[in-house]
Amino acid sequence: MEDSAGTQPSEQPRSTNPDLVKFARPALIAGAAVAVVCIALLVIIFFLDTFNATVYSVGGKNIQDATDEARDIRGLYTGARIGGIILLVVSLLAAAGGAVVLYLKRGTGPEDGNEGDEDVDFDDLAGR
């Protein structure tokens, strides 16, 4: 009987923080999805601003005037624009963080992704 305090040659060292990897893929997916929605929101706001400025200028007025009405039209979507930009930056950071974690931890998991499971092929499932 041989006692050994070290790892056996057939054992592979486990990653030290598997919890971080568990949240990386959902962060990447959610960050990318929210970023796409924020970009669509910002494009819609841009077109609405352009439309409002065009409609306002049809009557011979200028959107850059110092009047209260022109100032209100210019500031109509300011809150949504700032919120969209902030959410876009946060979602891009989450997606980038998830991508970095997945990139750094690639190849450290189980070889097939089904550690301890039996390998079943088509002949086994068909009952032959």
Side-chain angles (χ1 to χ4, degrees), residues 2-88:
E2 186 176 316
D3 291 331
S4 174
T7 59
Q8 299 297 324
S10 63
E11 293 179 9
Q12 294 180 356
R14 295 264 184 211
S15 67
T16 58
N17 196 355
D19 293 334
L20 193 60
V21 175
K22 188 171 33 174
F23 294 113
R25 183 166 293 135
L28 176 64
I29 294 169
V34 171
V36 168
V37 170
C38 285
I39 290 171
L41 173 73
L42 291 171
V43 167
I44 290 169
I45 289 172
F46 171 75
F47 283 124
L48 286 173
D49 274 345
T50 304
F51 177 75
N52 285 340
T54 303
V55 169
Y56 184 71
S57 65
V58 166
K61 301 174 185 175
N62 188 0
I63 193 69
Q64 299 301 327
D65 288 343
T67 63
D68 288 336
E69 187 179 11
R71 192 175 307 116
D72 288 342
I73 291 174
R74 284 192 309 262
L76 189 61
Y77 300 108
T78 303
R81 188 180 306 120
I82 291 171
I85 291 171
I86 290 171
L87 194 57
L88 176 65

